[in-house]
Amino acid sequence: MMFSEEPDQCQLAPVREDAFTSSELHEILSSLVQSGFPTHSTSGSETTQNGLPSNSTSGSETTRSVYSTEESKSRRMISNRESAKRSRWRKKKQLEDMTNQLNQLILDNIGLKNQLCLVTQNYQAVQRDSTRLLAEYIDLQQKLAGLQQVLVNMQLQ
């Protein structure tokens, strides 16, 4: 069985996420053959409504082998189309997931940069306070030493 290569004559069904099982594919192909879907035979003769050549002279063996070969091609074609659709869907989903992950990482990076900025500002404020307190400590130590000197001088007099 051959499908027309013209896109107007062949409508594709929507992609199912769970794909077709082998029994579903067999049912679809059987219903196409039973509904009189035209087939292509290798001898170029016309086909009847059941899909068999109308002037089959080589017997049922040849008809069955042609039917099986064409059915296999049709199954492979359907399977390949569905596989390609699933592959495209997976690729699209993977791209969306990676884009979402990238956006989340960008947001995380911005948050971490903001945190780093705040921590740096706090560190600089603490460092300024520490420097100021160290200077006050040194100043107070000098004043204390001066006062102790005055006290010692007062006691000596």
Side-chain angles (χ1 to χ4, degrees):
M1 172 178 354
M2 298 293 285
F3 290 106
S4 171
E5 293 182 10
E6 295 176 354
D8 296 337
Q9 293 181 355
C10 182
Q11 295 280 331
L12 298 177
V15 178
R16 292 175 34 180
E17 290 184 15
D18 56 350
F20 288 111
T21 64
S22 59
S23 61
E24 288 174 326
L25 284 174
H26 183 68
E27 288 176 13
I28 292 170
L29 291 173
S30 296
S31 68
L32 287 174
V33 170
Q34 290 173 357
S35 68
F37 192 85
T39 61
H40 178 290
S41 67
T42 56
S43 64
S45 62
E46 294 182 25
T47 57
T48 60
Q49 185 165 349
N50 65 1
L52 299 175
S54 60
N55 59 354
S56 176
T57 56
S58 56
S60 61
E61 275 303 313
T62 306
T63 305
R64 285 186 186 154
S65 66
V66 169
Y67 176 77
S68 296
T69 302
E70 290 178 2
E71 184 179 313
S72 297
K73 286 181 183 178
S74 174
R75 284 183 178 180
R76 274 196 312 273
M77 192 180 342
I78 291 170
S79 175
N80 287 345
R81 284 179 183 162
E82 293 299 319
S83 178
K85 287 178 186 177
R86 287 190 306 271
S87 178
R88 287 189 299 271
W89 180 85
R90 280 192 306 269
K91 193 173 188 178
K92 182 180 177 184
K93 178 83 169 107
Q94 183 181 19
L95 179 63
E96 288 173 358
D97 291 346
M98 291 176 80
T99 302
N100 291 339
Q101 185 180 11
L102 173 66
N103 290 335
Q104 185 60 48
L105 289 172
I106 288 171
L107 290 175
D108 291 348
N109 192 23
I110 290 170
L112 289 172
K113 283 181 179 180
N114 289 339
Q115 278 184 326
L116 178 62
C117 184
L118 288 174
V119 168
T120 302
Q121 288 174 353
N122 288 339
Y123 168 75
Q124 290 171 347
V126 167
Q127 191 176 26
R128 282 191 305 270
D129 286 346
S130 176
T131 303
R132 181 184 53 80
L133 289 172
L134 184 60
E136 281 183 32
Y137 168 75
I138 292 171
D139 186 47
L140 288 174
Q141 280 236 333
Q142 288 173 351
K143 286 181 181 179
L144 180 62
L147 287 175
Q148 285 176 343
Q149 186 67 32
V150 169
L151 184 62
V152 166
N153 287 340
M154 285 176 63
Q155 286 177 351
L156 289 175
Q157 288 181 359

